[in-house]
Each structure stands twice: as structure tokens, then as C-alpha cells.
Amino acid sequence: QVQLVESGGGLVQAGGSLRLSCTVSGRTLSSYVVSWFRQAPGKAHDRVASITWPITESGANTDYADSVNGRFAIAGDNAKTTVYLQMNSLKPEDTAVYYCAAGIPNSGTYAYWGQGTQVTVSS
């Protein structure tokens, strides 16, 4: 069974940085698309960034929501058991619970979800 555990959330001032980690137990993530989502109070889940292995000779494929493109970076470790989300130039509107999720590529669904980690950005 795949279990995902997020860590790295916290309180940071606007303009600061945080790095979130999503670690899998039970298997590697090499067959999955792994995405970070976030949910602010009263709002729906929004996908933030995604990564898939293996794709091209240059490495894993990544994709970002427009709201974070250029500020956030998603990456995976060589063992394909941890996915990171480096968040820079944080804004108060980035405040949310951040979740990682794993799913079958091109399926449109995510079968596995972590418990979430709170990110709070103060102005």
C-alpha cells in the first residue's frame, strides 16, 4: 500500500522560502505522477505543481500552475521516494494546507493522498 507523508510546512514572512517534502512508503514513485495541491479555507483544492518519471533524456517532466510558475520548483530524489516543493518569494495568498498526491499518469485521478501540511505566509 502506498502511503504519502508531507513535512516542511510552517510560518514564514512574505518573501521568504519553505521546502516541503513528500515521502512515500511501500514503493517508489517512478510509475506515478506526483502533484502538490493546496487548499485555502473555504476554497477548493488547487493543483500547484506536478512531476512524472521517467520521461525524457533530460530528466523528469514538471508542470506548474500559473500562480506559482517561476517561484516554486518541484523535484524528486534519485531514489524516487521523495518529492520536494521548493517555494520561494512566498506571498500571503500562498497560505493553505499543502497536500501531495500520487496517481497513474494520464488517468486524471489521484489514488493516494498525504495528510497535508500547513503553510502560513504572514504579510
Side-chain angles (χ1 to χ4, degrees):
Q1 183 176 355
V2 175
Q3 291 184 323
L4 303 174
V5 178
E6 302 100 333
S7 61
L11 173 64
V12 64
Q13 288 186 333
S17 299
L18 282 174
R19 189 176 79 159
L20 305 183
S21 299
C22 172
T23 300
V24 66
S25 60
R27 64 181 64 182
T28 70
L29 296 166
S30 58
S31 300
Y32 298 95
V33 55
V34 179
S35 295
W36 285 96
F37 290 80
R38 66 186 180 187
Q39 186 172 27
K43 296 186 177 181
H45 276 90
D46 288 327
R47 189 187 65 84
V48 173
S50 301
I51 187 169
T52 313
W53 297 280
I55 301 296
T56 67
E57 293 180 354
S58 62
N61 271 357
T62 58
D63 183 61
Y64 299 93
D66 290 344
S67 59
V68 305
N69 199 18
R71 299 189 297 123
F72 291 12
I74 189 170
D77 67 349
N78 290 335
K80 301 181 179 64
T81 57
T82 301
V83 171
Y84 303 99
L85 183 68
Q86 178 67 43
M87 306 185 295
N88 300 322
S89 302
L90 283 161
K91 304 175 182 180
E93 52 263 44
D94 294 318
T95 295
V97 178
Y98 284 70
Y99 300 87
C100 68
I104 303 301
N106 302 315
S107 70
T109 61
Y110 291 85
Y112 307 106
W113 290 80
Q115 83 288 351
T117 185
Q118 176 71 47
V119 171
T120 303
V121 184
S122 63
S123 58

